[in-house]
Amino acid sequence: MINKLISKIQKTNAPIVVGLDPTMKFVPEHIKSKAFAECGETLEGAAEAVWQYNKGIVDAISDLVPAVKPQIAMYEQFGVPGVIAFKKTVDYCREKGLVVIGDVKRGDIGSTSEAYAVAHLGKVQVGDKSYYGFDEDFATVNPYFGSDGVNPFVKVCKEEKKGIFVLVKTSNPSSGELQDRLIDGKPLYEIVGEKVAVWGEECMGDGYSYVGAVVGATYPEQGKVLRKLMPKTFILVPGYGAQGGKGADLVHFFNEDGLGAIINSSRGIIAAYQQEQYAKYGAENYADASRAAVLAMKEDIAQALAAK
Amino acid sequence: MINKLISKIQKTNAPIVVGLDPTMKFVPEHIKSKAFAECGETLEGAAEAVWQYNKGIVDAISDLVPAVKPQIAMYEQFGVPGVIAFKKTVDYCREKGLVVIGDVKRGDIGSTSEAYAVAHLGKVQVGDKSYYGFDEDFATVNPYFGSDGVNPFVKVCKEEKKGIFVLVKTSNPSSGELQDRLIDGKPLYEIVGEKVAVWGEECMGDGYSYVGAVVGATYPEQGKVLRKLMPKTFILVPGYGAQGGKGADLVHFFNEDGLGAIINSSRGIIAAYQQEQYAKYGAENYADASRAAVLAMKEDIAQALAAK
């Protein structure tokens, strides 16, 4: 799957992933009205609105980008109907040929991580048969449990030819509270980065490992260090746009081959129509605004990489 | 909710939580056959089997214990039908008057943690109405993101009078890889423990905070240190029984008032009928075996506390 992701990045010329993180305040009124008319002002109605909203965006951008990253929290907030909308979104994006990174940030003790790995990447045994649960292509994983919590994901990735991105340095303001603390003179995120590099060594695709890392766009200096520390690790970089990261900040997340990183933008793309810059599209044409925002992001990153 | 949990612990005289972590190999044949006959050898069939299995256990033990802790990974592995079984289990246990600790180990950047907090503890706004998503009483939270990732849970807990347990020192063998690393001479888990104590200060119930901590039964020495470091923090202690923790190891997780900790057992209770000691009950009477195992665990912990 890491090979597929890279080949799609090269084909689209876009090291970009669109975060499908819907909240009700992003969903245009006409979609909400229709969904509420059909399903009521209920969790089912909200889930239907979210799904239709996503579908519009995916239809508008699927030829431009290699991957999407639905954030499961945004679906879980609508309970069971929301989780159904998550699954519909995952399936639809995969049908469209997009690589789906399930942003689930799971991680637990070994036997429990095994269940999460099966849930999101693998197949569960039911009697004589086996079934995929959510069936994403990649999942994000929290490293707090150490190897026990990560290995079950690696095992399933090997079986299924899928991948993971392990949290190393997260994009949020308080990420330093634990992640920047020094251990033998090195910040915790470097310790985790070294582990990711080791976990990834025996999980190599053609040029990169299918055990990747998450490093926030909001920490470009740390990104530079981590890039060197994990040369064969693909880095998923959230925090572009709405969280403050810019194209020029991101060049050091890439290797000399122009690969090695994929930049996520969520709000900046999916709610583009709410920004002054794209307001001219109007809420009815929100998906066109998203398409324009993807094109602008591609250009920003391409320019930054060209100037590197 | 922390007051309710403590009052139920006192009433049942059992600082015990039963982990409802079903896997297909725990579910007795007669339950599987019936569920597969009704729903097929499918994810729906597996979810029905898990739900019926849980219901049997809950009916057999709900008068003995204050709380249950369904581990959501075990349900997610069965995809959407599994998540439906999780929600049915949560609702059923709450109807039975049990405190439900959703073992979800969520945590993310602020806006995403907000969605997780709403999903598991709070209400989501849909048009003019608002709805609970999964509606557990407590949730477990991963601290890797720092305060940003925890504060949204605390906010929802205040609004809803619910609670969280933040991972401090986990029960798995490799938990030390990151959690034991020294920062200014102190292991990371102590740094997290200190943070939990601070987060908990402004979230006090009558005697304990509703911001609790997770500390594994398998690390009794660390439990002793953390108990002193977080005197007002309720500690959720997994790892009893199947993972190797014993009653005598656990006394130091409790304060002098005999409170301050709740011990979880999962496999040891829910799959008791598969152990030699309880084999006489037979698979048909698996729930009676679970009841006997709860009684034995109560006795083990009561004796250990009496001998303290």
Side-chain angles (χ1 to χ4, degrees), chain A residues 21 24 36 40-43 45-46 71-80 83-84 87 103-116 118-120 123-129 131-134 142-149 167-179 181-184 188-189 191-192 195 199 243 267, chain B residues 21 24 36 40-43 45-46 71-80 83-84 87 103-116 118-120 123-129 131-134 142-149 167-179 181-184 188-189 191-192 195 199 243 267:
Chain A
D21 306 353
M24 288 313 275
F36 290 167
E41 219 166 87
T42 58
L43 292 178
Q71 166 51 261
I72 200 168
M74 299 303 167
Y75 302 82
E76 283 185 25
Q77 67 182 329
F78 301 112
V80 167
V83 175
I84 294 171
K87 176 63 177 148
D103 199 354
V104 299
K105 305 221 172 65
R106 301 308 197 237
D108 209 302
I109 66 167
S111 54
T112 308
S113 265
E114 200 179 317
Y116 276 134
V118 159
H120 291 282
K123 287 192 290 278
V124 69
Q125 197 69 31
V126 180
D128 296 330
K129 302 192 179 131
Y131 297 94
Y132 287 101
F134 289 98
N142 188 307
Y144 194 68
F145 290 81
S147 309
D148 294 349
L167 302 182
V168 173
K169 172 69 182 166
T170 60
S171 62
N172 58 312
S174 77
S175 71
E177 285 181 14
L178 302 178
Q179 298 164 28
R181 298 301 300 265
L182 296 181
I183 292 164
D184 296 339
L188 175 61
Y189 64 78
I191 309 269
V192 178
K195 284 194 173 294
W199 290 327
Q243 281 186 59
R267 272 167 284 180
Chain B
D21 307 353
M24 287 313 275
F36 291 166
E41 218 166 88
T42 58
L43 292 178
Q71 167 50 261
I72 200 169
M74 299 303 167
Y75 302 83
E76 283 186 25
Q77 67 181 332
F78 301 112
V80 167
V83 175
I84 294 171
K87 176 62 177 147
D103 198 354
V104 298
K105 306 222 172 63
R106 301 307 198 237
D108 209 302
I109 65 167
S111 54
T112 308
S113 265
E114 200 179 317
Y116 276 134
V118 159
H120 292 283
K123 286 192 291 277
V124 68
Q125 196 70 28
V126 180
D128 295 329
K129 302 191 179 134
Y131 297 94
Y132 287 101
F134 289 98
N142 188 307
Y144 194 67
F145 289 81
S147 309
D148 295 349
L167 302 182
V168 173
K169 171 70 182 165
T170 61
S171 61
N172 58 312
S174 77
S175 72
E177 285 181 15
L178 301 178
Q179 297 164 30
R181 300 301 300 265
L182 296 181
I183 292 164
D184 297 338
L188 175 60
Y189 64 78
I191 308 270
V192 178
K195 284 194 173 294
W199 291 326
Q243 282 184 59
R267 272 168 285 180

Side-chain angles (χ1 to χ4, degrees), chain A:
Chain A
M1 194 47 71
I2 188 68
N3 293 343
K4 182 179 171 189
L5 178 62
I6 292 171
S7 123
K8 282 188 68 78
I9 288 173
Q10 289 172 322
K11 246 177 245 168
T12 53
N13 196 26
I16 289 176
V17 52
V18 174
L20 296 175
D21 306 353
T23 70
M24 288 313 275
K25 64 178 192 277
F26 295 163
V27 180
E29 279 308 320
H30 70 284
I31 294 180
K32 278 194 272 203
S33 311
K34 188 156 179 284
F36 290 167
E38 279 170 26
C39 311
E41 219 166 87
T42 58
L43 292 178
E44 288 75 13
E48 172 64 14
V50 157
W51 154 239
Q52 292 297 341
Y53 169 64
N54 281 349
K55 191 169 173 300
I57 292 169
V58 171
D59 288 342
I61 59 145
S62 65
D63 61 321
L64 298 180
V65 295
V68 291
K69 181 173 78 60
Q71 166 51 261
I72 200 168
M74 299 303 167
Y75 302 82
E76 283 185 25
Q77 67 182 329
F78 301 112
V80 167
V83 175
I84 294 171
F86 175 81
K87 176 63 177 148
K88 275 163 102 167
T89 300
V90 169
D91 289 348
Y92 188 72
C93 292
R94 293 192 72 198
E95 274 167 34
K96 285 271 185 176
L98 291 161
V99 172
V100 177
I101 302 170
D103 199 354
V104 299
K105 305 221 172 65
R106 301 308 197 237
D108 209 302
I109 66 167
S111 54
T112 308
S113 265
E114 200 179 317
Y116 276 134
V118 159
H120 291 282
L121 302 172
K123 287 192 290 278
V124 69
Q125 197 69 31
V126 180
D128 296 330
K129 302 192 179 131
S130 63
Y131 297 94
Y132 287 101
F134 289 98
D135 201 15
E136 299 109 288
D137 296 310
F138 286 85
T140 53
V141 173
N142 188 307
Y144 194 68
F145 290 81
S147 309
D148 294 349
V150 175
N151 289 339
F153 284 95
V154 172
K155 182 169 168 281
V156 170
C157 286
K158 280 185 186 167
E159 289 161 10
E160 297 286 338
K161 305 204 176 307
K162 293 190 170 182
I164 54 172
F165 293 98
V166 180
L167 302 182
V168 173
K169 172 69 182 166
T170 60
S171 62
N172 58 312
S174 77
S175 71
E177 285 181 14
L178 302 178
Q179 298 164 28
D180 291 0
R181 298 301 300 265
L182 296 181
I183 292 164
D184 296 339
K186 259 186 281 189
L188 175 61
Y189 64 78
E190 284 191 30
I191 309 269
V192 178
E194 287 169 357
K195 284 194 173 294
V196 169
V198 171
W199 290 327
E201 264 169 23
E202 45 162 340
C203 305
M204 287 298 295
D206 291 340
Y208 286 91
S209 173
Y210 49 85
V211 174
V214 176
V215 184
T218 42
Y219 297 103
E221 287 306 314
Q222 290 87 333
K224 201 187 287 189
V225 173
L226 288 164
R227 175 66 291 164
K228 293 209 177 93
L229 207 65
M230 319 179 291
K232 298 292 181 193
T233 303
F234 225 82
I235 305 180
L236 170 63
V237 186
Y240 177 90
Q243 281 186 59
K246 289 184 221 93
D249 295 335
L250 303 176
V251 292
H252 299 298
F253 288 91
F254 292 85
N255 276 324
E256 291 305 315
D257 60 3
L259 290 169
I262 186 162
I263 315 296
N264 179 78
S265 177
S266 301
R267 272 167 284 180
I269 305 291
I270 68 172
Y273 80 98
Q274 294 182 342
Q275 298 162 36
E276 208 182 317
Q277 192 181 355
Y278 301 107
K280 62 182 179 203
Y281 288 96
E284 286 278 340
N285 304 307
Y286 73 101
D288 297 331
S290 294
R291 186 175 173 88
V294 168
L295 289 168
M297 181 177 171
K298 276 179 79 158
E299 186 58 26
D300 178 36
I301 290 173
Q303 278 186 10
L305 281 175
K308 190 183 173 182

